[in-house]
Amino acid sequence: MGRIRNNFWGLSALGIGLLFIWAGIHRGEVFTVWNKAIYICLECIGIG
Amino acid sequence: MDRKQGTKQGRLRLGVQMIFAALTNGYVAGFLQGKIYQGTSKQLCLPGLNCYSCPGALGACPIGSLQAVLSSRNYGFSFYIVGFFLIIGALVGRLVCGWLCPFGLVQDLLHRIPLGKKRKKLPGHGWLRWLKYGVLGILVILLPLFVVDEVGQGSPWFCEYLCPSGTLFGGWPLLLVNEGLRSVAGWLFAWKNLILVALILLSVAVYRPFCQYFCPLGAVYSWFNKISLYRYQVDLKSCVNCGICQKSCPLDLPVFQIPNSGECIRCGKCKAVCPTGAIQSRFFPGNNEIIKGSPLERM
């Protein structure tokens, strides 16, 4: 129990993170990320 | 545990940084042909500041991805990227900065150049270190979210006007090979190169100036250092307050007093040089970060 109490906030953040990832995938955010990442981002490389 | 241990540990970290950077940027054809990887692995974010327009990148940049989602007219919040930050932060905190970030590796290598006087921090460090939170709040979150065009689409302000990682890992490799891109490079590329050159020069003298003062990803992970499952601990029964940990720390942090400072990139040098082994790191520790006691209790 001591170990869990000592790591309560870390475990909570991990659990919420997993829920958020699931929600993000469910909302289709992954496609937005992928769509941005597979084409050359002119702003990112400094072309504008 | 001494200086030799510190050097050995430094070599190990450098090896891990190089291998991780090579593995996550291993699309060699991209460098040769001036194009970027388009596979499904780019749905996943890499933990460090790794530009997804780097020709070799096999994953997405979390800061670029956050701006992409926030600036999209479909979303006002990114569960996917915030969830990613929560998971990485909860597991290891800023260990990512010290061991897995390719732009951190570049700054580490630059700082090894034996040129001029080496400094751990800039004058005004106390308030300059807060700049990274401003960069995160303004350039990464607020401007992409609220400065939008007529169809509700925003821009990735941090990538566009500040990110030196994009210029170095994305801009230069692509422009060297791709003539079409070279022909359209204008004042913005000049501006970003000015930032990159300034940071390169500064990195030779000061340890990791971008990480310490500007990196929004470091700002995010810094909130997790105290609560992450992987944490540092100082055993006061062994600690003799010699201060060697602070002297050896490249960021000049008083590890024996604040073992999980938000500024710590968990390079591990303090652990390696501690003469009494009082500094430990554990995954899922059972004790508090400071284990109370006094060296007298050992006798």
Side-chain angles (χ1 to χ4, degrees):
Chain A
M1 271 317 273
R3 232 170 244 277
I4 290 177
R5 202 171 46 237
N6 264 308
N7 296 285
F8 174 78
W9 292 111
L11 290 170
S12 303
L14 191 64
I16 295 167
L18 288 168
L19 274 177
F20 272 30
I21 292 263
W22 176 81
I25 292 170
H26 190 69
R27 292 207 310 169
E29 289 176 30
V30 178
F31 181 73
T32 306
V33 169
W34 189 51
N35 206 34
K36 181 75 180 175
I38 59 169
Y39 298 108
I40 293 174
C41 167
L42 294 178
E43 295 100 333
C44 305
I45 64 171
I47 305 289
Chain B
M1 306 206 190
D2 52 17
R3 209 172 179 180
K4 220 181 221 174
Q5 284 289 338
T7 314
K8 198 174 157 191
Q9 186 276 342
R11 280 199 202 119
L12 170 72
R13 185 166 73 95
L14 188 63
V16 171
Q17 285 174 298
M18 285 181 159
I19 290 167
F20 191 78
L23 286 178
T24 51
N25 293 281
Y27 183 59
V28 181
F31 289 104
L32 301 174
Q33 295 162 14
K35 59 180 191 179
I36 64 171
Y37 181 66
Q38 296 189 311
T40 47
S41 64
K42 277 203 160 170
Q43 293 176 354
L44 302 172
C45 289
L46 293 168
L49 199 69
N50 197 128
C51 184
Y52 42 36
S53 286
C54 168
L58 297 171
C61 168
I63 291 293
S65 300
L66 179 62
Q67 290 170 96
V69 176
L70 292 179
S71 62
S72 153
R73 60 187 168 166
N74 302 322
Y75 309 103
F77 181 80
S78 177
F79 284 99
Y80 184 60
I81 306 299
V82 173
F84 175 80
F85 288 149
L86 283 165
I87 289 172
I88 300 293
L91 288 173
V92 292
R94 283 193 82 175
L95 179 102
V96 170
C97 308
W99 292 75
L100 304 178
C101 178
F103 200 66
L105 166 64
V106 169
Q107 291 172 89
D108 279 355
L109 293 174
L110 286 166
H111 198 64
R112 285 172 174 235
I113 297 172
L115 202 69
K117 194 185 165 197
K118 301 291 177 189
R119 303 178 69 125
K120 291 184 177 182
K121 45 194 175 184
L122 284 172
H125 172 84
W127 65 269
L128 276 175
R129 71 195 171 98
W130 293 101
L131 275 176
K132 57 182 174 288
Y133 300 99
V135 170
L136 172 68
I138 296 168
L139 292 181
V140 177
I141 298 173
L142 292 177
L143 291 175
L145 199 54
F146 294 114
V147 180
V148 293
D149 60 17
E150 56 275 12
V151 292
Q153 183 71 40
S155 295
W157 286 72
F158 170 73
C159 297
E160 195 166 349
Y161 297 106
L162 187 63
C163 183
S165 181
T167 317
L168 183 65
F169 298 127
W172 275 105
L174 285 172
L175 262 69
L176 282 174
V177 184
N178 192 321
E179 203 183 318
L181 286 174
R182 243 189 343 259
S183 63
V184 290
W187 70 269
L188 188 59
F189 192 64
W191 163 250
K192 289 200 67 180
N193 273 294
L194 192 69
I195 293 174
L196 178 63
V197 170
L199 272 166
I200 286 173
L201 294 176
L202 199 57
S203 298
V204 176
V206 181
Y207 188 70
R208 290 198 179 207
F210 184 75
C211 308
Q212 290 200 69
Y213 306 119
F214 302 107
C215 184
L217 193 53
V220 171
Y221 291 144
S222 74
W223 291 324
F224 292 93
N225 264 8
K226 276 204 182 302
I227 64 156
S228 63
L229 298 180
Y230 174 79
R231 294 195 296 276
Y232 277 18
Q233 290 181 312
V234 173
D235 188 347
L236 293 187
K237 288 192 207 85
S238 310
C239 179
V240 289
N241 285 321
C242 61
I244 287 175
C245 51
Q246 184 168 4
K247 277 185 209 129
S248 71
C249 173
L251 298 165
D252 197 32
L253 299 171
V255 187
F256 63 109
Q257 291 168 331
I258 319 165
N260 293 294
S261 158
E263 298 298 314
C264 173
I265 59 167
R266 292 178 168 168
C267 69
K269 202 168 178 186
C270 55
K271 278 194 304 174
V273 300
C274 178
T276 62
I279 303 171
Q280 301 285 327
S281 63
R282 285 200 173 82
F283 200 77
F284 210 60
N287 300 317
N288 293 326
E289 62 175 4
I290 304 275
I291 301 164
K292 290 191 174 150
S294 96
L296 291 174
E297 288 176 29
R298 281 181 299 162
M299 294 173 187

